């Protein structure tokens, strides 16, 4: 096992729109160790989601190098990207991104279908993660039969079901009220304590304060990268 799960060296991401070039990332370097809990902050348009897409192997950078768990992913084909993504990364999005026709349990089990696991195995692991997010009483509910917080817990269950090395969350509390956000953050704390690496994007200082390290982006560059003293001291 690698101690560094993420090694990013001077990555850039340029988007071409018409005749214009948008420099979303202008040379970001960063390493993240196994078991870290990192918050990414910064103004709208500063490149947070673009960086998350790179880290999550949803897209490849224009330039620079990205090594994920020892594999150089900056130049992989789409198929290999999909494979590594399915194995290493669990995603949680602001808008939950659940499939409406599927039950909570079926949504949570989805990544296991891509992983090619037999059905009885999938159900067993699915139920285990539903227990982790405290939703065993909602397994047969469809997304529109659940509250926002419960939907996000299903999304967290889905992110965990493959036992990925990294959980990536882009504004996971962005559509939740403050009380429900606290519940979700408590869940992330538990997941972190059980050994996962967590990287989350947030606009809210209060949410970022759960993380042990806070990285601030501005105009596609890292403006600051500091340990969160409130947490590191109390530990
Ligand atoms: N697919 C795309 N095509 C063209 N430009 C893009 C694309 N995705 C993002 N951009 C541009 O890249 C820049 C960074 O966008 P990004 O989504 O990473 O910002 P962000 O920090 O996540 O912002 P927000 O807080 O609003 O979510 C923005 O200027 C955006 O307009
Ligand atoms: Mg964004």
């Amino acid at each position: 096992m690698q101690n560094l799960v993420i090694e990013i060296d001077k990555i850039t991401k340029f988007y071409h729109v018409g005749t214009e070039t948008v420099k979303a990332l202008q040379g970001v370097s960063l390493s993240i160790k196994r078991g870290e809990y990192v918050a990414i902050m910064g103004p709208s348009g500063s490149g947070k989601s673009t960086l998350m897409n790179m880290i999550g192997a949803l897209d490849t950078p224009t330039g620079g190098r990205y090594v994920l768990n020892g594999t150089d992913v900056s130049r992989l084909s789409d198929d290999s990207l999909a494979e590594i993504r399915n194995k290493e990364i669990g995603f949680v999005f602001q808008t939950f991104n659940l499939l409406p026709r599927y039950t909570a349990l079926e949504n949570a089990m989805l990544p296991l279908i891509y992983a090619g696991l037999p059905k009885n195995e999938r159900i067993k692991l699915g139920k285990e993660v539903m227990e982790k997010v405290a939703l065993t009483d909602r397994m047969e509910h469809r997304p529109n039969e659940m509250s926002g917080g419960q939907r996000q817990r299903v999304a967290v269950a889905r992110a965990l079901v493959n036992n990925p090395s990294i959980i990536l969350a882009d504004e996971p509390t962005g559509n939740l009220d403050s009380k429900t956000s606290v519940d979700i953050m408590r869940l992330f704390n538990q997941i972190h304590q059980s050994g996962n690496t967590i990287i989350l994007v947030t606009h809210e200082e209060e949410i970022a304060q759960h993380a042990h390290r806070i990285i601030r982006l501005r105009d596609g560059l890292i403006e600051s990268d500091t340990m969160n003293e409130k947490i590191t001291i109390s530990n």
Side-chain angles (χ1 to χ4, degrees):
M1 264 213 303
Q2 306 275 329
N3 185 33
L4 281 182
V5 280
I6 287 166
E7 298 171 79
I8 285 174
D9 190 27
K10 298 193 203 79
I11 61 167
T12 54
K13 182 69 183 179
F14 299 163
Y15 294 108
H16 300 283
V17 181
T19 54
E20 215 196 316
T21 304
V22 179
K23 298 184 173 177
L25 296 175
Q26 308 210 56
V28 167
S29 298
L30 139 92
S31 344
I32 295 178
K33 292 197 205 81
R34 186 172 301 283
E36 276 202 89
Y37 188 168
V38 182
I40 298 178
M41 301 195 77
S44 179
S46 57
K48 303 181 298 296
S49 295
T50 305
L51 180 59
M52 289 294 261
N53 289 348
M54 300 296 130
I55 294 176
L58 286 168
D59 204 353
T60 46
T62 306
R65 207 166 96 97
Y66 173 29
V67 177
L68 167 60
N69 250 336
T71 305
D72 187 342
V73 295
S74 26
R75 303 281 175 269
L76 286 185
S77 67
D78 285 353
D79 281 354
S80 317
L81 274 182
E83 201 181 315
I84 199 162
R85 186 162 67 227
N86 201 36
K87 194 167 121 236
E88 307 280 0
I89 316 261
F91 292 97
V92 180
F93 302 95
Q94 177 172 0
T95 50
F96 321 136
N97 293 13
L98 302 175
L99 297 184
R101 288 172 195 279
Y102 286 26
T103 65
L105 178 63
E106 286 165 347
N107 267 287
M109 294 180 339
L110 269 183
L112 300 176
I113 294 184
Y114 308 125
L117 249 71
K119 192 164 186 190
N120 56 347
E121 254 322 273
R122 297 203 299 264
I123 292 173
K124 180 172 157 279
L125 291 172
K127 285 185 173 166
E128 272 173 29
V129 284
M130 290 302 278
E131 217 162 283
K132 265 196 200 157
V133 302
L135 270 184
T136 46
D137 56 343
R138 291 290 182 275
M139 290 201 288
E140 299 307 320
H141 286 235
R142 292 199 161 67
N144 67 356
E145 298 161 346
M146 286 183 287
S147 70
Q150 288 169 342
R151 287 180 212 183
Q152 195 56 303
R153 273 146 67 195
V154 174
V156 172
R158 182 185 56 191
L160 288 174
V161 77
N162 255 351
N163 199 20
S165 45
I166 307 167
I167 304 290
L168 295 183
D170 196 346
E171 298 269 0
T173 60
N175 279 334
L176 302 175
D177 61 45
S178 53
K179 186 183 160 294
T180 314
S181 299
V182 171
D183 289 343
I184 292 294
M185 293 317 293
R186 202 173 287 141
L187 186 56
F188 276 114
N189 287 353
Q190 274 171 28
I191 294 166
H192 174 245
Q193 271 155 23
S194 69
N196 273 105
T197 309
I198 298 181
I199 306 173
L200 79 84
V201 167
T202 182
H203 276 111
E204 294 171 72
E205 274 307 327
E206 234 173 80
I207 298 289
Q209 289 307 326
H210 288 264
H212 294 209
R213 176 177 168 193
I214 301 177
I215 295 173
R216 288 174 205 275
L217 292 185
R218 182 174 293 274
D219 297 333
L221 286 167
I222 293 181
E223 179 182 56
S224 67
D225 180 350
T226 54
M227 297 314 285
N228 181 359
E229 291 186 3
K230 281 186 198 146
I231 289 197
T232 35
I233 288 168
S234 69
N235 278 357

